[in-house]
Amino acid sequence: MIHSYRKFVRVDHKDNCDDKEFKEDFKTFATIGQLRYLPSDLFWHLLRASSVFPKSLPETAGKLEAFEMWPSWDSKDTSNSKRVEPDVFIRFTHFDLIIEVKIKDSKGQTSDQWKKEITAYHNTYGTDTHRDFFLLALGGNSNLDRDMEHEYVHRATWTNLLHAVHDCRKQRSYLCCKAESTEQEIRILEAVEEAFAQYNEYVVDLLETLPKYDMNIETPLNINKIWKEM
């Protein structure tokens, strides 16, 4: 599916408005949409790690109770005429999470859009639920200084998310004995890294960080296996 997307829509050609929106939605689906199939604690670990200041977010989230992409929320008391549509809404046991996505890390997020989504969240779920909620502004943040923090809003970067996914995948790949559940996690993490690659976003490991192997005793078959593990 990802390769079919790459075939018909190249991410490096000149943008038009509709194509840019499509690419942003596909990136959201191919990354966050796939990460939701991981165990809840690992899913939240990766989302939290994408934050510029992860320690300002809870360490645990509880179980994943609901996941919705591009929900349509009541636009009352906002400047939108019909609806407000955040990119992702997630309900964990301990809190709710809104994710607003921009395709690149450089620019695009606005405080006006955050306010609309927070207002629409209260319109839809009420203001008296006594649930904690956060808005994760993923990508599009031109300023990452701590003094630019907004109430409820936590800025995050695609770069942080990609590195967190990459590190988790490597940690699991290096295990000598892997449970079937671990193998499944690795496949999901690999798929997400592949999705990032369609946007020319990679993690390049420095040579000194790679594991050492005695190449004198390795057969070509084993060398191929080592290459895949990297």
Side-chain angles (χ1 to χ4, degrees):
M1 184 266 291
I2 290 175
H3 289 297
S4 296
Y5 165 78
R6 181 69 175 180
K7 179 179 179 181
F8 292 107
V9 182
R10 289 182 57 81
V11 300
D12 52 0
H13 70 255
K14 186 176 181 180
D15 289 336
N16 59 57
C17 183
D18 292 340
D19 186 50
K20 182 178 180 180
E21 182 178 353
F22 174 79
K23 290 188 294 185
E24 184 175 284
D25 288 351
F26 184 86
K27 188 176 186 179
T28 304
F29 169 79
T31 54
I32 299 172
Q34 293 194 97
L35 291 175
R36 64 175 152 161
Y37 298 117
L38 294 169
S40 297
D41 57 344
L42 179 55
F43 183 28
W44 171 239
H45 166 78
L46 294 171
L47 292 177
R48 183 175 184 263
S50 73
S51 173
V52 178
F53 304 108
K55 291 183 179 180
S56 63
L57 287 164
E59 290 189 13
T60 60
K63 293 183 178 180
L64 177 65
E65 298 183 352
F67 182 96
E68 186 176 4
M69 306 189 79
W70 310 292
S72 182
W73 287 349
D74 184 355
S75 62
K76 180 182 177 183
D77 297 325
T78 74
S79 59
N80 290 20
S81 58
K82 294 183 179 179
R83 64 180 180 275
V84 173
E85 188 179 273
D87 290 296
V88 184
F89 173 69
I90 306 172
R91 171 155 287 184
F92 290 106
T93 304
H94 301 326
F95 56 83
D96 290 341
L97 182 69
I98 304 165
I99 304 179
E100 177 55 35
V101 168
K102 301 302 175 188
I103 192 169
K104 297 180 180 179
D105 277 335
S106 55
K107 60 182 179 179
Q109 297 281 359
T110 66
S111 58
D112 285 344
Q113 188 172 22
W114 302 338
K115 291 174 183 176
K116 289 178 185 178
E117 293 180 3
I118 292 172
T119 298
Y121 166 78
H122 289 310
N123 290 343
T124 304
Y125 293 98
T127 58
D128 56 350
T129 59
H130 303 295
R131 288 185 62 84
D132 289 334
F133 77 92
F134 307 98
L135 190 154
L136 193 69
L138 178 57
N141 296 289
S142 57
N143 192 323
L144 299 177
D145 294 338
R146 182 178 287 276
D147 60 6
M148 293 296 292
E149 290 290 279
H150 291 72
E151 186 178 14
Y152 306 117
V153 178
H154 297 260
R155 288 163 300 157
T157 70
W158 288 110
T159 299
N160 286 354
L161 181 59
L162 172 56
H163 277 265
V165 168
H166 179 76
D167 290 345
C168 282
R169 193 265 304 164
K170 281 205 311 181
Q171 291 167 5
R172 285 156 177 75
S173 297
Y174 292 159
L175 295 174
C176 295
C177 300
K178 303 181 185 70
E180 177 59 26
S181 59
T182 303
E183 297 282 5
Q184 292 172 350
E185 291 173 5
I186 292 172
R187 288 193 290 272
I188 293 170
L189 294 168
E190 286 176 339
V192 173
E193 283 197 84
E194 181 182 347
F196 273 108
Q198 307 313 309
Y199 292 81
N200 299 317
E201 297 174 21
Y202 310 88
V203 174
V204 178
D205 291 315
L206 298 176
L207 186 60
E208 59 266 25
T209 68
L210 298 176
K212 295 180 176 62
Y213 294 93
D214 184 354
M215 301 304 290
N216 294 325
I217 62 173
E218 300 295 345
T219 66
L221 181 62
N222 287 337
I223 291 173
N224 184 56
K225 180 180 178 182
I226 291 172
W227 177 258
K228 288 183 177 180
E229 288 178 353
M230 292 182 181

